[in-house]
């Protein structure tokens, strides 16, 4: 069935909540210290058992679960059409899809098109000699006549993007680790093989893909040097050529959109399949990944809230700009945490993380949660000898992604209930307070806040698909907006400060408090005023005579 981009019907990826599972750290069923698919199956009821007590999410996205030497924890794939034995096998995967679908949970897989593992059979063949038929499946180049590298491109993990192969006496390109050679998408056989990979999983009932660094898959055919950044160098950015260049020739080329349109055509051959992309560019470049007619990705991930300073003004500007810029066919989305970035709660604190939860789950746009976010899980504490992440080793401990990859905290018992073996990363010290079992019993816990927010979003369609209007208020510490649809109207007021705030909002006495981040029923109304306690967010149902003051 072909879905038109302009379809008015609300799709599951528009109204639902996506939950990112880092499978290695979610739940270990066989005591080897590594999470697995059987573990995920056991926790599906926690995610959504159909009752109001469970978290109530609508889709899971699994980070890569395919055979891999794990140089980059699964983003170095050696077989796209199988499951790593750590995680299970194709049968367990089939059971997971069936069990998820039974609970109305969609399953999204990670698709890693830019690079394979250097141990993938394709690369093993490719590097075996210049005459090999798969030679051109990767990007090989001679050294320059003076023996230097083919161009100035850098690896995102530090150092040059070129690795010398002594046997065939050429360099190959790797935008990430040297164990992750870049595929040559200009070769039609590569494109066909990779589209077959998508088809393989679509046939197994997968509901969508999150496409890893999808804007990077095409490179300048002449491999021209990138211009060097001069004055705009960010002093906080890591070392290495990648971080000192403008990426005009090694990624985000115009032609990449043709390829993404082809991914979309394939997805659209199947009903209700969704394409999500990891796309980091600035807004004008980023927005192109929806396609000029909504014919590319359904959701290029929007990471802007992760990068914005945590204050009402910056967050509001980011949202307003998004709302202003998106064309009608493009559905927004928001992300606060993922497996590549430190946890938001460690940046903004426990109190503001509750405000963040309300923001994420009331904005117009699909929310993606990262496992443990709903518990207020903090950054791990990782000593040098416990470090696992190749990026941490190469760019420095401040870029160590292990911080957000520590085991999911299920109980206050040994290893936080994640595993009865030795977990691959240490459990974060606050697990005795921040865990599912303890938070389940506390009616005002972070977990119960996420559950309440998701439940409310489900019950009130205006919170899913209603329009968004920014509401002007005097206090620069508060962000207030309205969601409305078919006569349903909600006011969301978020206090980003540690101070009590009184906001003037005409006509508000007709409102009804639906939810406070404090999870109590504190009286908030004056005649035309709204009182917010320190770090409080509220959702108010508005009655007819409320006057919206739009922000010019
Ligand atoms: C982005 C992924 O999210 C990250 O974890 C990975 O290291 C790189 N892409 C390379 O695949
Ligand atoms: Ca295991």
């Amino acid at each position: 069935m072909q879905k038109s981009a302009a379809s008015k019907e609300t799709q599951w990826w528009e109204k639902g909540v996506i939950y990112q599972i880092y499978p290695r750290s979610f739940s270990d069923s066989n005591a080897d210290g590594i999470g697995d698919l059987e573990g995920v199956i056991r926790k599906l009821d926690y995610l959504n058992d159909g009752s109001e007590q469970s978290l109530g999410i609508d889709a899971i996205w699994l980070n890569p679960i395919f055979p891999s030497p794990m140089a980059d924890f699964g983003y170095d794939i050696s077989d796209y059409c199988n499951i790593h034995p750590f995680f299970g096998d194709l049968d367990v995967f089939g059971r997971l899809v069936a069990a998820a679908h039974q609970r109305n949970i969609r399953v999204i897989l990670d698709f890693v098109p830019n690079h394979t593992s250097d141990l993938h059979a394709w690369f093993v063949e490719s590097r075996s000699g210049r005459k090999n038929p798969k030679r051109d499946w990767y990007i090989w180049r001679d050294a320059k006549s003076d023996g230097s590298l083919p161009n100035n491109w850098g690896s995102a993990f530090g150092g040059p993007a070129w690795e010398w192969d002594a046997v065939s006496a050429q360099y190959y390109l790797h935008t990430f680790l040297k164990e992750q050679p870049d595929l040559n998408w200009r070769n039609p056989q590569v494109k066909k093989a990779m589209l077959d990979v998508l088809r393989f999983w679509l046939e197994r009932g997968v509901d969508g893909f999150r496409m890893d660094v999808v804007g990077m898959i095409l490179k300048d055919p002449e491999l021209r040097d990138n211009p060097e950044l001069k004055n705009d160098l960010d002093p906080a950015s890591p070392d290495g050529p990648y971080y000192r260049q403008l990426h005009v020739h090694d990624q985000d080329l115009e032609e990449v959109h043709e390829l993404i349109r082809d991914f979309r055509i394939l997805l659209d051959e199947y009903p209700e399949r969704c394409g999500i992309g990891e796309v980091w560019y600035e807004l004008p470049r980023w927005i192109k990944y929806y396609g000029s007619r909504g014919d590319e990705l359904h959701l290029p991930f929007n990471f802007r809230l992760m990068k914005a300073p945590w204050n009402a003004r910056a967050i509001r500007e980011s949202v307003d700009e998004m709302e202003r810029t998106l064309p009608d066919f493009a559905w927004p989305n928001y992300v606060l945490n993922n497996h590549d970035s430190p946890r938001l709660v460690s940046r903004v604190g426990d109190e503001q993380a509750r405000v963040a939860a309300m923001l994420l789950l009331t904005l117009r746009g699909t929310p993606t949660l990262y496992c443990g976010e709903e518990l207020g899980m903090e950054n791990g504490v990782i000593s040098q000898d416990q470090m696992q992440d190749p990026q941490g080793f190469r760019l420095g401990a401040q870029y160590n992604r292990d911080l957000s990859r520590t085991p999911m905290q299920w109980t206050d018992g040994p290893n936080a209930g994640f595993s009865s073996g030795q977990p691959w990363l240490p459990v974060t010290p606050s697990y005795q307070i921040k865990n599912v079992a303890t938070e389940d019993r506390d009616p005002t816990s972070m977990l119960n806040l996420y559950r309440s927010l998701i439940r409310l979003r489900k019950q009130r369609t205006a919170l899913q698909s209603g329009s968004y209007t920014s509401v002007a208020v005097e206090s620069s510490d508060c962000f207030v907006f309205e969601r409305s649809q078919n006569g349903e109207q909600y006011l969301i007021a978020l206090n980003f400060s540690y101070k009590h705030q009184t906001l003037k909002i005409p006509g508000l006495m007709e409102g009804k408090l639906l939810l406070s981040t404090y999870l109590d029923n504190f009286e908030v109304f004056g005649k035309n005023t709204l009182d917010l306690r320190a770090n409080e967010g509220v959702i108010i149902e508005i009655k007819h005579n409320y006057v919206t003051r739009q922000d010019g």
Side-chain angles (χ1 to χ4, degrees):
M1 189 180 77
Q2 191 96 18
K3 288 261 163 197
S4 125
S7 157
K8 284 276 173 285
E9 199 184 321
T10 314
Q11 305 291 347
W12 63 264
W13 58 83
E14 296 171 342
K15 59 181 175 218
V17 176
I18 302 175
Y19 185 89
Q20 178 190 355
I21 291 181
Y22 196 71
R24 210 180 157 85
S25 298
F26 196 61
S27 173
D28 174 20
S29 72
N30 62 351
D32 64 358
I34 296 175
D36 44 59
L37 297 186
E38 193 63 54
V40 176
I41 294 175
R42 292 181 190 173
K43 300 298 184 186
L44 286 176
D45 278 344
Y46 162 76
L47 297 176
N48 192 350
D49 67 1
S51 80
E52 301 226 314
Q53 275 63 54
S54 68
L55 190 57
I57 54 87
D58 302 278
I60 50 176
W61 150 38
L62 303 167
N63 287 99
I65 49 175
F66 317 105
S68 160
M70 296 286 167
D72 186 22
F73 292 101
Y75 284 97
D76 49 321
I77 296 172
S78 52
D79 179 356
Y80 283 93
C81 297
N82 217 328
I83 303 289
H84 194 297
F86 280 157
F87 298 124
D89 56 28
L90 285 170
D91 286 340
V92 190
F93 180 73
R95 279 198 288 115
L96 168 59
V97 173
H101 286 172
Q102 245 169 26
R103 292 163 175 80
N104 285 322
I105 300 175
R106 316 277 174 152
V107 179
I108 300 167
L109 286 186
D110 221 305
F111 175 56
V112 185
N114 183 66
H115 44 266
T116 69
S117 160
D118 62 337
L119 299 184
H120 193 296
W122 299 341
F123 189 72
V124 173
E125 271 196 54
S126 184
R127 88 185 303 172
S128 68
R130 293 189 185 204
K131 296 252 150 30
N132 186 277
K134 292 219 166 51
R135 185 65 170 181
D136 182 53
W137 280 42
Y138 294 83
I139 299 173
W140 291 95
R141 281 298 181 280
D142 291 334
K144 283 190 180 155
S145 50
D146 63 358
S148 62
L149 301 172
N151 68 17
N152 71 350
W153 297 356
S155 153
F157 288 147
W162 295 99
E163 179 70 11
W164 180 248
D165 178 59
V167 179
S168 59
Q170 275 190 317
Y171 284 103
Y172 66 85
L173 182 73
H174 60 91
T175 307
F176 294 89
L177 297 174
K178 68 177 175 18
E179 292 84 1
Q180 294 167 295
D182 283 26
L183 282 163
N184 174 17
W185 276 83
R186 294 189 187 271
N187 181 322
Q189 291 174 351
V190 167
K191 179 175 166 189
K192 179 177 179 311
M194 291 300 274
L195 289 178
D196 285 348
V197 168
L198 291 178
R199 212 179 277 283
F200 176 89
W201 293 109
L202 287 165
E203 291 293 331
R204 274 166 177 73
V206 161
D207 300 284
F209 299 94
R210 173 269 188 191
M211 305 182 188
D212 191 62
V213 292
V214 69
M216 293 188 176
I217 62 182
L218 276 189
K219 280 91 185 170
D220 177 35
E222 294 166 40
L223 303 182
R224 281 170 288 183
D225 277 355
N226 279 328
E228 303 277 344
L229 274 169
K230 295 203 173 63
N231 303 327
D232 329 326
L233 257 186
D234 176 359
S237 79
D239 222 9
Y242 186 90
Y243 299 96
R244 295 196 299 265
Q245 296 174 4
L246 275 172
H247 294 281
V248 293
H249 295 309
D250 59 346
Q251 53 189 275
D252 191 33
L253 304 189
E254 222 25 67
E255 308 106 275
V256 82
H257 295 282
E258 281 164 40
L259 276 177
I260 299 176
R261 280 195 289 278
D262 288 338
F263 295 163
R264 175 63 177 271
I265 288 169
L266 175 56
L267 288 179
D268 284 349
E269 281 177 28
Y270 296 77
E272 298 187 5
R273 301 308 209 270
C274 168
I276 304 175
E278 190 204 9
V279 184
W280 284 92
Y281 309 122
E282 290 306 310
L283 197 56
R285 295 165 72 195
W286 174 85
I287 215 157
K288 292 188 173 177
Y289 287 81
Y290 283 100
S292 57
R293 287 173 295 115
D295 50 359
E296 295 184 31
L297 298 172
H298 298 97
L299 305 174
F301 266 141
N302 167 15
F303 301 116
R304 266 162 206 83
L305 296 185
M306 253 160 54
K307 300 275 155 212
W310 193 254
N311 64 64
R313 186 168 296 168
I315 298 298
R316 176 197 182 121
E317 269 168 18
S318 173
V319 173
D320 284 356
E321 188 184 22
M322 182 62 61
E323 287 282 346
R324 264 197 317 272
T325 320
L326 281 184
D328 281 350
F329 58 72
W331 183 250
N333 78 92
Y334 294 92
V335 179
L336 296 177
N337 289 280
N338 71 16
H339 65 294
D340 289 332
S341 306
R343 297 227 178 228
L344 182 83
V345 66
S346 297
R347 177 157 73 98
V348 305
D350 286 321
E351 292 90 349
Q352 278 298 311
R354 295 174 79 96
V355 174
M358 184 169 278
L359 171 76
L360 181 71
L361 288 155
T362 54
L363 282 174
R364 190 182 79 98
T366 307
T368 301
L369 317 185
Y370 177 52
C371 52
E373 175 177 337
E374 75 278 21
L375 306 174
M377 263 179 72
E378 294 163 10
N379 284 341
V381 179
I382 316 283
S383 61
Q384 191 67 31
D385 61 317
Q386 292 166 324
M387 198 153 109
Q388 304 277 344
D389 176 26
Q391 176 171 288
F393 287 122
R394 297 177 57 94
L395 299 184
Q398 70 272 41
Y399 302 102
N400 180 15
R401 298 172 298 177
D402 296 334
L403 298 188
S404 57
R405 298 177 179 181
T406 58
M408 178 72 176
Q409 294 159 195
W410 296 102
T411 69
D412 62 1
N415 301 327
F418 159 72
S419 172
S420 44
Q422 181 64 38
W424 74 284
L425 274 179
V427 167
T428 298
S430 50
Y431 79 95
Q432 280 170 327
I433 310 160
K434 296 182 169 191
N435 64 74
V436 172
T438 305
E439 295 194 34
D440 189 45
R441 291 190 298 267
D442 171 2
T444 63
S445 66
M446 183 71 122
L447 175 58
N448 280 318
L449 174 62
Y450 269 88
R451 285 172 173 163
S452 306
L453 284 163
I454 294 174
R455 198 182 311 135
L456 194 63
R457 189 178 172 98
K458 261 206 174 85
Q459 290 162 351
R460 312 285 176 137
T461 47
L463 289 177
Q464 296 161 23
S465 42
S467 62
Y468 162 92
T469 311
S470 191
V471 176
V473 286
E474 274 151 28
S475 164
S476 58
D477 285 327
C478 294
F479 176 20
V480 180
F481 57 94
E482 189 190 297
R483 302 288 315 279
S484 62
Q485 187 178 35
N486 299 335
E488 262 184 75
Q489 251 186 312
Y490 303 99
L491 190 81
I492 293 95
L494 306 169
N495 181 357
F496 280 68
S497 78
Y498 283 73
K499 290 193 310 249
H500 179 109
Q501 304 274 347
T502 300
L503 305 177
K504 282 201 201 96
I505 301 185
L508 200 63
M509 58 191 176
E510 295 288 322
K512 177 176 168 224
L513 174 70
L514 294 183
L515 193 66
S516 156
T517 50
Y518 281 54
L519 293 178
D520 59 7
N521 278 314
F522 203 70
E523 188 52 66
V524 287
F525 303 108
K527 193 164 176 213
N528 288 318
T529 59
L530 172 62
D531 274 89
L532 292 175
R533 288 169 280 176
N535 306 299
E536 184 175 32
V538 294
I539 305 176
I540 294 164
E541 186 175 16
I542 297 294
K543 304 294 183 202
H544 40 273
N545 67 347
Y546 160 74
V547 187
T548 300
R549 290 194 297 147
Q550 289 200 12
D551 189 10

